[in-house]
Amino acid sequence: MEAAERTTREQIQEAALAEFLDKGFRGTSLRQIVKSAGVTTGAFYGYFSSKEALFASIVEPHAAAIMGRFMETQTAFAALPEAEQPGHMGVESAACVDWMVEYLYRHPEPSRLLICCAEGTSYERFVHNMVEVEVEATFQYLDVLRRLGQDVPQLDRQLCHIIASGMFNAVFEVVVHDMPHEHAKQYVRQLREFYMAGWQKLMGE
């Protein structure tokens, strides 16, 4: 019985994944998902309370993995002794971005769903939320540099948000454009070098 239930649940998720990828969350109808899965509407509601709950069941493990790794990286950097932080600038974040790219390529379809098809769900601000965390961490690091005696110019929060948003969206372009894996790794490495040089210039380093 449990095996049959898992199979039905997976049928619904597989049908939904294809529909969401093709039409996005907003453009996908529950009726079409049910039809594609070969189940009744009643059977659907035995597994999922709504179309968004179904979307979340596919996306949430991957959103949690990516955001979890990102937050771990932020926390680990902030926990370093302040005198050591400048020497680590970009090291942990580079490893995190590399990890994210590898994760995206290990889980291409749900990653595309999360990045490209989540409008209308609670996940549509996923990248924006990462940007907000990055901006806050940036300002905390600027304060560290000042306490270490470095003459750091005052940076506008909105400018930092725009820069961080550009960086994250650029990284996730590998999913949007379905780049070959090796091309994506080179692309992201060059992006990191570009943004790191820009941040160092702005920070007066």
Side-chain angles (χ1 to χ4, degrees):
M1 181 65 177
E2 289 182 4
E5 288 182 355
R6 285 197 299 272
T7 299
T8 302
R9 179 184 174 88
E10 289 168 359
Q11 279 180 249
I12 296 170
Q13 288 176 319
E14 288 170 7
L17 179 61
E19 292 294 327
F20 288 141
L21 287 173
D22 184 42
K23 303 180 181 71
F25 176 80
R26 287 191 186 279
T28 296
S29 71
L30 186 55
R31 178 180 298 178
Q32 186 58 52
I33 292 172
V34 168
K35 181 180 178 181
S36 298
V39 301
T40 65
T41 302
F44 172 87
Y45 284 114
Y47 295 93
F48 304 101
S49 61
S50 64
K51 184 175 74 167
E52 182 159 4
L54 171 58
F55 187 93
S57 76
I58 301 170
V59 165
E60 175 56 27
H62 306 285
I66 294 170
M67 186 63 79
R69 177 59 185 267
F70 175 66
M71 294 304 299
E72 286 173 8
T73 299
Q74 296 288 352
T75 301
F77 181 81
L80 289 170
E82 291 189 349
E84 295 180 16
Q85 289 187 21
H88 283 258
M89 177 61 175
V91 176
E92 284 81 2
S93 61
C96 179
V97 170
D98 287 344
W99 179 91
M100 284 196 292
V101 170
E102 293 305 309
Y103 189 92
L104 297 174
Y105 278 83
R106 288 199 307 273
H107 309 279
E109 291 185 331
S111 295
R112 177 177 288 274
L113 207 60
L114 174 63
I115 303 303
C116 306
C117 307
E119 184 179 357
T121 77
S122 59
Y123 298 93
E124 67 180 349
R125 291 173 61 84
F126 180 77
V127 177
H128 175 84
N129 292 340
M130 296 181 80
V131 169
E132 288 294 297
V133 171
E134 182 71 18
V135 171
E136 187 58 36
T138 298
F139 275 83
Q140 290 175 6
Y141 178 63
L142 292 175
D143 288 339
V144 167
L145 293 180
R146 293 186 182 104
R147 286 195 292 272
L148 292 174
Q150 187 166 321
D151 184 18
V152 180
Q154 292 294 326
L155 296 181
D156 181 76
R157 184 171 288 270
Q158 189 171 22
L159 172 63
C160 290
H161 180 95
I162 290 170
I163 294 170
S165 180
M167 180 182 68
F168 278 101
N169 281 287
V171 168
F172 288 124
E173 283 287 299
V174 301
V175 175
V176 175
H177 293 290
D178 196 21
M179 291 184 183
H181 190 187
E182 290 302 316
H183 183 189
K185 289 195 290 187
Q186 178 184 1
Y187 167 85
V188 170
R189 183 170 59 252
Q190 291 172 326
L191 275 175
R192 283 204 314 267
E193 293 171 355
F194 174 82
Y195 276 100
M196 181 59 67
W199 279 120
Q200 288 174 336
K201 180 70 174 179
L202 287 175
M203 291 178 181
E205 296 182 4

